[in-house]
Amino acid sequence: MVNDTDTFGIDPAAGHPERALALSYAPMAVRPAIGALFALDATLAKLAIGTRDAMVAQLRLTWWHEALSALGQSKPPAQPILRTLAAARVDGAALARMEIGWERLLQTPDEEALIAFGEERGTLFIEAARLAGAADNATAAGVGWALADLSRLTVDTDLSARAAALAGPLVQQASAQRWSPAGRFIGALVHVAAADLAGERPVGAPGRVLRLAWHRLSGR
């Protein structure tokens, strides 16, 4: 399984063992880079919705935006996530959009801002698919997963409900497609999000895990 807690100082699958299982489906050669992408997302999430002082959160998010934007143009800071992403030759400018998305949550987002958040955070899936060499359409999957996962993470019940409502049709669309072998880790994450939205409990139940195993074999 992918577990970059020791490498990156943050576990991208913390609190959700099925996510760790899904990420383990990523092609072996790119697992460190995929782990770094999801560790980046977890780091930005912690800053945006886990920092009490909005000004401090803003300053730290801005640092990440500047560091991501500079990837490929200069030597990255001595930070494990950034070093791994730089070595993988990621599109830093694209990943900087993730920071913009998370920054929107420093204030209560309206529906338009929430959709924009999903699109910007969803860049995570597009870049993950590119690194894995997966030709699958990861756009709807990325937006749907970003919103579904936000509905799980936030303690704001109103925000959770609104994010889940927007995520539902997109997750359904993404879970209906057949994913290529290289992209099945993304498809698995979509199925995890679909189970979460449907309220299937508990996480890690045999039925949920068997669904992921079937997806790994079939791409469905």
Side-chain angles (χ1 to χ4, degrees):
M1 289 186 183
V2 173
N3 189 329
D4 294 297
T5 307
D6 294 336
T7 303
F8 303 123
I10 188 166
D11 185 355
H16 210 310
E18 290 173 9
R19 180 179 298 184
L21 178 61
L23 290 174
S24 76
Y25 297 170
M28 182 71 73
V30 295
R31 285 185 191 175
I34 298 300
L37 283 175
F38 281 85
L40 168 65
D41 181 65
T43 299
L44 297 177
K46 186 175 181 179
L47 291 175
I49 61 178
T51 305
R52 292 183 178 181
D53 190 323
M55 184 174 295
V56 171
Q58 176 74 71
L59 289 172
R60 292 176 177 172
L61 286 168
T62 298
W63 183 90
W64 277 96
H65 186 276
E66 292 174 352
L68 290 166
S69 298
L71 285 180
Q73 301 175 31
S74 60
K75 184 177 179 179
Q79 202 287 336
I81 294 173
L82 293 171
R83 287 287 177 90
T84 303
L85 292 175
R89 299 184 182 278
V90 299
D91 184 341
L95 292 182
R97 296 184 69 232
M98 292 171 58
E99 183 279 330
I100 296 173
W102 280 112
E103 190 176 319
R104 293 181 188 276
L105 299 189
L106 295 181
Q107 297 181 348
T108 303
D110 58 17
E111 183 170 329
E112 182 179 351
L114 202 50
I115 292 171
F117 160 82
E119 293 172 345
E120 289 153 353
R121 187 188 183 195
T123 304
L124 170 67
F125 273 31
I126 296 172
E127 189 65 8
R130 188 187 70 80
L131 290 178
D136 309 274
N137 182 354
T139 302
V143 179
W145 178 88
L147 291 165
D149 190 61
L150 174 62
S151 75
R152 179 184 70 89
L153 290 174
T154 183
V155 296
D156 183 330
T157 55
D158 176 67
L159 178 59
S160 177
R162 291 191 293 121
L166 291 171
L170 294 165
V171 169
Q172 184 177 12
Q173 176 187 337
S175 62
Q177 71 186 66
R178 183 168 189 168
W179 291 82
S180 71
R184 285 179 193 174
F185 72 101
I186 299 175
L189 289 168
V190 170
H191 285 295
V192 170
D196 288 343
L197 287 174
E200 296 178 17
R201 294 289 185 271
V203 172
R208 289 179 56 136
V209 174
L210 285 173
R211 179 68 185 86
L212 296 182
W214 170 245
H215 173 74
R216 187 177 191 180
L217 290 172
S218 68
R220 295 289 189 182

